[in-house]
């Protein structure tokens, strides 16, 4: 799908702040794809769509997920997690994206999971390290993102879990499985 068409759609659905984040993630993801021999076009598509559901009404998002048989466990966790699977549904249903790798990259960009593909790792890392992100460990993660993807991913998911545990909030099982997979 034409990036310009997706961008036009994003402007209608996202706040300016979120829209700008998406553009930065897209540039970061394209550069990571280029460095790691992944399709730049796939990285661009996945990144452009990744937060498409971010500003969606919560009830509508819940309804969409239920209609598509999303894991009921999702509703026991913070709604921050919902926009990722909702985004994958929207990319497929409304925009005809059929590439499973792109859809999975969108679906797992918040939680991560075990056995992530190259494209999934690229989007996860790009989302976390885009130039607008500002947290104490981000510079180290940016540096690591220039090396092997699985090592960068291991540090990113460790950082995510540390952050969640620090806040004493529940951790979605996919994230724990992701952590176990990458530190093994
Ligand atoms: Fe997101
Ligand atoms: Fe994002």
């Amino acid at each position: 799908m034409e990036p310009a068409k997706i961008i036009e759609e994003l402007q209608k659905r996202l706040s300016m702040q979120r829209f700008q984040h998406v553009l930065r993630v897209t540039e970061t993801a394209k550069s990571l794809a280029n460095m790691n021999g992944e399709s730049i076009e796939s990285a661009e598509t996945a990144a452009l769509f990744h937060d498409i559901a971010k500003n969606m009404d919560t009830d509508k998002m819940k309804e969409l997920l239920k209609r598509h048989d999303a894991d009921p466990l999702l509703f026991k966790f913070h709604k921050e997690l919902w926009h990722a699977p909702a985004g994958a549904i929207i990319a497929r249903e409304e925009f005809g994206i059929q590439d499973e790798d792109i859809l999975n990259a969108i679906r797992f960009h918040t939680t991560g999971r075990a056995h992530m593909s190259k494209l999934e790792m690229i989007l996860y890392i790009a989302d976390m390290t885009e130039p607008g992100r500002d947290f104490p460990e981000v510079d180290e993660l940016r540096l690591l993102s220039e090396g092997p993807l699985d090592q960068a991913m291991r540090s990113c998911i460790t950082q995510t879990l540390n952050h969640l545990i620090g806040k004493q909030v529940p951790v979605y099982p996919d994230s724990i499985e992701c952590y176990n997979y990458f530190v093994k």
Side-chain angles (χ1 to χ4, degrees), residues 18 21-22 25 50-51 54 83 109 127 133:
R18 181 57 46 180
H21 158 74
V22 169
V25 173
H50 88 282
D51 273 345
K54 187 79 180 187
H83 76 282
H109 86 262
D127 194 25
R133 294 289 193 201

Side-chain angles (χ1 to χ4, degrees), residues 15-26:
S15 67
M16 184 48 75
Q17 196 186 6
R18 181 57 46 180
F19 175 68
Q20 298 292 348
H21 158 74
V22 169
L23 296 184
R24 291 191 300 266
V25 173
T26 304

Side-chain angles (χ1 to χ4, degrees), residues 89-100:
I89 294 167
I90 291 170
R92 193 182 58 215
E93 300 294 305
E94 289 190 45
F95 298 91
I97 303 298
Q98 290 184 0
D99 184 319
E100 280 301 323

